[in-house]
PDB file of all heavy atoms in Angstrom:
ATOM      1  N   PRO G 440       0.330  -9.227  -9.300  1.00  0.00           N
ATOM      2  CA  PRO G 440       1.639  -9.883  -9.319  1.00  0.00           C
ATOM      3  C   PRO G 440       2.565  -9.311 -10.382  1.00  0.00           C
ATOM      4  O   PRO G 440       2.072  -8.768 -11.367  1.00  0.00           O
ATOM      5  CB  PRO G 440       1.336 -11.363  -9.568  1.00  0.00           C
ATOM      6  CG  PRO G 440      -0.015 -11.360 -10.193  1.00  0.00           C
ATOM      7  CD  PRO G 440      -0.728 -10.176  -9.646  1.00  0.00           C
ATOM      8  N   ILE G 441       3.877  -9.488 -10.226  1.00  0.00           N
ATOM      9  CA  ILE G 441       4.885  -8.931 -11.119  1.00  0.00           C
ATOM     10  C   ILE G 441       4.658  -9.475 -12.515  1.00  0.00           C
ATOM     11  O   ILE G 441       4.714  -8.644 -13.531  1.00  0.00           O
ATOM     12  CB  ILE G 441       6.272  -9.293 -10.631  1.00  0.00           C
ATOM     13  CG1 ILE G 441       6.525  -8.777  -9.254  1.00  0.00           C
ATOM     14  CG2 ILE G 441       7.323  -8.746 -11.661  1.00  0.00           C
ATOM     15  CD1 ILE G 441       6.530  -7.233  -9.163  1.00  0.00           C
ATOM     16  N   GLU G 442       4.305 -10.701 -12.683  1.00  0.00           N
ATOM     17  CA  GLU G 442       4.170 -11.341 -14.009  1.00  0.00           C
ATOM     18  C   GLU G 442       2.968 -10.655 -14.767  1.00  0.00           C
ATOM     19  O   GLU G 442       3.056 -10.381 -15.938  1.00  0.00           O
ATOM     20  CB  GLU G 442       3.928 -12.833 -13.919  1.00  0.00           C
ATOM     21  CG  GLU G 442       5.129 -13.638 -13.389  1.00  0.00           C
ATOM     22  CD  GLU G 442       5.365 -13.427 -11.915  1.00  0.00           C
ATOM     23  OE1 GLU G 442       4.411 -12.975 -11.213  1.00  0.00           O
ATOM     24  OE2 GLU G 442       6.455 -13.782 -11.406  1.00  0.00           O
ATOM     25  N   GLU G 443       1.895 -10.390 -14.038  1.00  0.00           N
ATOM     26  CA  GLU G 443       0.720  -9.773 -14.680  1.00  0.00           C
ATOM     27  C   GLU G 443       1.029  -8.350 -15.055  1.00  0.00           C
ATOM     28  O   GLU G 443       0.577  -7.912 -16.067  1.00  0.00           O
ATOM     29  CB  GLU G 443      -0.494  -9.869 -13.775  1.00  0.00           C
ATOM     30  CG  GLU G 443      -1.766  -9.374 -14.407  1.00  0.00           C
ATOM     31  CD  GLU G 443      -2.984  -9.572 -13.517  1.00  0.00           C
ATOM     32  OE1 GLU G 443      -2.878 -10.311 -12.500  1.00  0.00           O
ATOM     33  OE2 GLU G 443      -4.046  -8.924 -13.789  1.00  0.00           O
ATOM     34  N   ILE G 444       1.726  -7.647 -14.204  1.00  0.00           N
ATOM     35  CA  ILE G 444       2.113  -6.275 -14.552  1.00  0.00           C
ATOM     36  C   ILE G 444       2.964  -6.249 -15.817  1.00  0.00           C
ATOM     37  O   ILE G 444       2.812  -5.458 -16.705  1.00  0.00           O
ATOM     38  CB  ILE G 444       2.879  -5.601 -13.419  1.00  0.00           C
ATOM     39  CG1 ILE G 444       1.983  -5.479 -12.180  1.00  0.00           C
ATOM     40  CG2 ILE G 444       3.393  -4.196 -13.757  1.00  0.00           C
ATOM     41  CD1 ILE G 444       2.704  -4.949 -10.958  1.00  0.00           C
ATOM     42  N   GLY G 445       3.903  -7.203 -15.922  1.00  0.00           N
ATOM     43  CA  GLY G 445       4.758  -7.320 -17.082  1.00  0.00           C
ATOM     44  C   GLY G 445       3.937  -7.589 -18.343  1.00  0.00           C
ATOM     45  O   GLY G 445       4.231  -7.007 -19.394  1.00  0.00           O
ATOM     46  N   GLU G 446       2.932  -8.411 -18.215  1.00  0.00           N
ATOM     47  CA  GLU G 446       2.055  -8.714 -19.364  1.00  0.00           C
ATOM     48  C   GLU G 446       1.242  -7.526 -19.833  1.00  0.00           C
ATOM     49  O   GLU G 446       1.079  -7.274 -21.032  1.00  0.00           O
ATOM     50  CB  GLU G 446       1.119  -9.872 -19.002  1.00  0.00           C
ATOM     51  CG  GLU G 446       1.807 -11.245 -19.008  1.00  0.00           C
ATOM     52  CD  GLU G 446       2.286 -11.673 -20.351  1.00  0.00           C
ATOM     53  OE1 GLU G 446       1.615 -11.298 -21.385  1.00  0.00           O
ATOM     54  OE2 GLU G 446       3.371 -12.270 -20.425  1.00  0.00           O
ATOM     55  N   ARG G 447       0.762  -6.742 -18.865  1.00  0.00           N
ATOM     56  CA  ARG G 447       0.007  -5.595 -19.105  1.00  0.00           C
ATOM     57  C   ARG G 447       0.777  -4.463 -19.839  1.00  0.00           C
ATOM     58  O   ARG G 447       0.328  -3.753 -20.646  1.00  0.00           O
ATOM     59  CB  ARG G 447      -0.639  -4.977 -17.883  1.00  0.00           C
ATOM     60  CG  ARG G 447      -1.747  -5.843 -17.279  1.00  0.00           C
ATOM     61  CD  ARG G 447      -2.567  -5.089 -16.286  1.00  0.00           C
ATOM     62  NE  ARG G 447      -3.649  -5.941 -15.705  1.00  0.00           N
ATOM     63  CZ  ARG G 447      -4.666  -5.411 -15.033  1.00  0.00           C
ATOM     64  NH1 ARG G 447      -4.725  -4.149 -14.797  1.00  0.00           N
ATOM     65  NH2 ARG G 447      -5.582  -6.210 -14.499  1.00  0.00           N
ATOM     66  N   LEU G 448       2.071  -4.438 -19.427  1.00  0.00           N
ATOM     67  CA  LEU G 448       2.971  -3.387 -20.001  1.00  0.00           C
ATOM     68  C   LEU G 448       3.637  -3.849 -21.343  1.00  0.00           C
ATOM     69  O   LEU G 448       4.374  -3.138 -21.949  1.00  0.00           O
ATOM     70  CB  LEU G 448       4.003  -2.956 -19.036  1.00  0.00           C
ATOM     71  CG  LEU G 448       3.475  -2.201 -17.739  1.00  0.00           C
ATOM     72  CD1 LEU G 448       4.646  -1.967 -16.810  1.00  0.00           C
ATOM     73  CD2 LEU G 448       2.838  -0.925 -18.150  1.00  0.00           C
ATOM     74  N   LYS G 449       3.440  -5.124 -21.629  1.00  0.00           N
ATOM     75  CA  LYS G 449       4.078  -5.710 -22.830  1.00  0.00           C
ATOM     76  C   LYS G 449       3.588  -4.965 -24.064  1.00  0.00           C
ATOM     77  O   LYS G 449       2.382  -4.800 -24.261  1.00  0.00           O
ATOM     78  CB  LYS G 449       3.833  -7.146 -22.918  1.00  0.00           C
ATOM     79  CG  LYS G 449       4.720  -7.979 -23.814  1.00  0.00           C
ATOM     80  CD  LYS G 449       4.534  -9.414 -23.728  1.00  0.00           C
ATOM     81  CE  LYS G 449       5.471 -10.161 -24.620  1.00  0.00           C
ATOM     82  NZ  LYS G 449       5.264 -11.643 -24.570  1.00  0.00           N
ATOM     83  N   GLY G 450       4.471  -4.583 -24.950  1.00  0.00           N
ATOM     84  CA  GLY G 450       4.150  -3.872 -26.098  1.00  0.00           C
ATOM     85  C   GLY G 450       4.205  -2.320 -25.933  1.00  0.00           C
ATOM     86  O   GLY G 450       4.497  -1.584 -26.848  1.00  0.00           O
ATOM     87  N   LYS G 451       3.943  -1.871 -24.721  1.00  0.00           N
ATOM     88  CA  LYS G 451       3.999  -0.452 -24.462  1.00  0.00           C
ATOM     89  C   LYS G 451       5.413  -0.025 -24.045  1.00  0.00           C
ATOM     90  O   LYS G 451       5.822   1.111 -24.269  1.00  0.00           O
ATOM     91  CB  LYS G 451       2.998  -0.100 -23.317  1.00  0.00           C
ATOM     92  CG  LYS G 451       1.584  -0.339 -23.762  1.00  0.00           C
ATOM     93  CD  LYS G 451       0.618   0.040 -22.540  1.00  0.00           C
ATOM     94  CE  LYS G 451      -0.803  -0.232 -22.975  1.00  0.00           C
ATOM     95  NZ  LYS G 451      -1.717   0.188 -21.794  1.00  0.00           N
ATOM     96  N   SER G 452       6.135  -0.905 -23.412  1.00  0.00           N
ATOM     97  CA  SER G 452       7.504  -0.629 -23.001  1.00  0.00           C
ATOM     98  C   SER G 452       8.297  -1.917 -23.052  1.00  0.00           C
ATOM     99  O   SER G 452       7.786  -2.982 -23.032  1.00  0.00           O
ATOM    100  CB  SER G 452       7.529   0.002 -21.583  1.00  0.00           C
ATOM    101  OG  SER G 452       7.073  -0.948 -20.699  1.00  0.00           O
TER     102      SER G 452
END
Side-chain angles (χ1 to χ4, degrees):
I441 300 297
E442 293 75 15
E443 186 174 344
I444 296 175
E446 284 296 323
R447 290 196 178 194
L448 295 176
K449 196 173 182 181
K451 297 180 181 179
S452 62

